[in-house]
Structures are given as structure tokens and as C-alpha cells.
Amino acid sequence: MRVVVKLGGSLITDKGKAFFARDDIIRAAAQAIRESAQLGAEIILIHGGGSFGHVAAKKEIDRFGKLTAASVPPVSRAMMVLNNHVMEALLDENLKAVSFPPHSFCLYSCSKDSFSCSFDSLLIAFNLKIIPVTFGDIVFGEEACEPAIISGDDLALVLAKKVNAERVVFATNVDGVYRELEDASSLIPHIEFSEIPKLLEQIKITGGGVTDVTKGLPGKLTKIYRYLSSHDKRPEVAIINGMSKETLKMALSGSKVKGTFIT
């Protein structure tokens, strides 16, 4: 089974503490990846920036009012430090994994407000049964454009299309998409792909509920719909709680687990 998995920044870091990696969670995720790979999963791994990339980027914006070319070294360094935590955990599990930093193969076009990435080396690694690892990052702008942040969500969905993944797993620090903030029974276990725009309208109308609980999840749903709408072989998308190693392992292995599934 071909799977693209994104470990959210809120999962693998403590967003309340600058540059604080949750190494226990990262190690457990690496173990889940190893065990699912042994069961036959072919995996591409992406991770978010959490309290590393976001903190570094905010410092630059606070200082200069925007991201500039001078912002690329400190922000990319912060992401490489976090990526090293992830890579060490993977290699400690004897996994064949290679890191691909987006600042080395992606560019931002301000005129098109879009990114262009050369995934050739990453895809070669994947076809050689090596786990490619990439992450949300700052990338240079084309010509007169300033740099911009490419998110891990963007990368996960683009790569899912590139390799015709059967499932995309977003591992977060919540169980999925909820309708109500304090109501654990309001978890939405299944969303029809065609229902995403309607659900997003409900989120906008309420101004709470899913927005308050999931924070970035409405944006995630928007990207899922935008990137996968025109894809003939649309993958199943699972939004799960990655705090549980067993849940993550089962999700990567193709099983149904607690969470929100989009088909």
C-alpha cells in the first residue's frame, strides 16, 4: 500500500515552547513507520514545522515586516534542526530514509502565487524502496519574488498525486474533525469528498466548533479539496491522532481507526 503520511507540527513539537521537539512522540512515530513498512506499506514522510519553523519565521516577520532572502538561512536552519530529530529517530529504527529539504528543490512564484518543485530525486528514492522525508520549509522566490513558506500539507497532497498513493494520513494531536469544541461525541468519522465545501461553509458560519478545536484543520480540508478535486485516482484521506503509536501504525497499514476519513 502506497501511503503519504504527514506528522503535524503540533504533534511532534510543543508549540508553547520555542524549539522544543517531542522526541518521545517522534520515536514512537518512527516505530510505527517501521512496523507498518514491515507489513508492506510504501511510505513518503512529511513533517510540519511546529515550534521550530513557525517561531523562526515569525521572528523574521516581526523584525522585517515580511520574509526576505535574509530569512532563508535562519528559518531553513530551524527546520533542518527539527528534521534532524525526525531523521535520527528513523535511522535508529534501521529504516532506510533520506531527507529532501524543500529549500533545495522548490521555488515560489509571486505572480502565480504558487510553488514549483523538482521531485525527481525524491521519487527515485521512493521507487528504490527508500523512505523520502521532506517537510514544510521556506523556499526562495523566483526573480523579484520574496521567499515564501511551502507547507507540509501542500507537499503531502502533491506527492500523493505524484505516486498515486492509496491513502494520505494526517497525524495530528486531535482525533480528527469535530463539530463542537467540548463534545467528544461530535467527532465526524466520515466525510464524503463532495461534502467538503458545504462543511467549510458551516465552519465559516459558526466561527467556532471545528475551527476552535482543530485550528488548522479547516485550512487542511480546503487544501484536500483543491489538490485532489481533479485527481482521477483520489486517495482516501485519514485525519487521526498520532499520539497513539498503534493508531498511527494501523492507519499506515490500511486499517480503519478512530479519526475522520475522507473518501
Side-chain angles (χ1 to χ4, degrees):
M1 183 178 192
R2 291 190 164 193
V3 186
V4 175
V5 56
K6 192 252 180 156
L7 303 178
S10 60
L11 173 68
I12 63 171
T13 75
D14 184 338
K15 284 192 171 182
K17 300 178 182 178
F19 309 111
F20 187 91
R22 289 174 165 162
D23 285 312
D24 55 337
I25 298 296
I26 294 172
R27 285 192 296 268
Q31 291 166 7
I33 289 168
R34 173 180 55 77
E35 292 172 10
S36 59
Q38 290 172 340
L39 295 173
E42 300 175 62
I43 296 168
I44 293 178
L45 174 62
I46 296 100
H47 66 79
S51 65
F52 285 76
H54 292 292
V55 168
K58 186 177 185 301
K59 283 184 178 179
E60 292 297 302
I61 293 170
D62 288 346
R63 182 180 179 186
F64 299 110
K66 62 180 181 179
L67 294 173
T68 69
S71 304
V72 176
V75 178
S76 63
R77 177 181 182 273
M79 285 308 305
M80 292 294 288
V81 171
L82 177 57
N83 180 246
N84 189 59
H85 284 263
V86 175
M87 292 304 301
E88 287 295 321
L90 294 171
L91 296 174
D92 283 348
E93 292 297 321
N94 295 315
L95 286 163
K96 295 180 180 178
V98 176
S99 176
F100 294 89
H103 61 259
S104 67
F105 64 84
C106 293
L107 289 171
Y108 173 68
S109 168
C110 52
S111 60
K112 299 177 182 177
D113 190 24
S114 64
F115 298 92
S116 58
C117 301
S118 175
F119 292 110
D120 291 352
S121 295
L122 186 153
L123 295 174
I124 286 172
F126 180 68
N127 289 329
L128 291 172
K129 310 300 182 185
I130 293 170
I131 298 174
V133 183
T134 189
F135 45 87
D137 199 6
I138 188 170
V139 302
F140 285 106
E142 295 178 339
E143 300 177 349
C145 299
E146 298 289 4
I149 302 295
I150 185 168
S151 76
D153 290 352
D154 290 311
L155 290 163
L157 293 164
V158 169
L159 285 166
K161 293 171 68 174
K162 290 279 187 184
V163 302
N164 285 322
E166 296 162 74
R167 178 177 282 186
V168 180
V169 176
F170 289 102
T172 71
N173 63 342
V174 294
D175 289 335
V177 181
Y178 286 87
R179 291 191 182 277
E180 298 295 337
L181 176 61
E182 301 295 341
D183 184 1
S185 68
S186 69
L187 177 69
I188 306 172
H190 179 253
I191 299 172
E192 291 286 345
F193 189 81
S194 60
E195 294 175 351
I196 292 177
K198 182 179 179 181
L199 180 60
L200 288 170
E201 284 300 316
Q202 293 173 353
I203 292 170
K204 291 175 184 176
I205 290 170
T206 62
V210 176
T211 301
D212 290 340
V213 175
T214 64
K215 298 180 180 178
L217 287 182
K220 197 182 303 293
L221 290 173
T222 300
K223 289 181 178 182
I224 290 167
Y225 191 77
R226 183 173 78 241
Y227 279 107
L228 301 183
S229 290
S230 60
H231 191 47
D232 293 335
K233 297 181 180 179
R234 189 182 301 139
E236 179 181 50
V237 179
I239 301 172
I240 65 160
N241 193 328
M243 302 289 283
S244 165
K245 172 192 162 185
E246 190 63 23
T247 296
L248 180 57
K249 171 190 169 182
M250 292 174 66
L252 294 176
S253 303
S255 299
K256 289 289 185 182
V257 296
K258 184 178 182 179
T260 298
F261 286 77
I262 303 170
T263 58

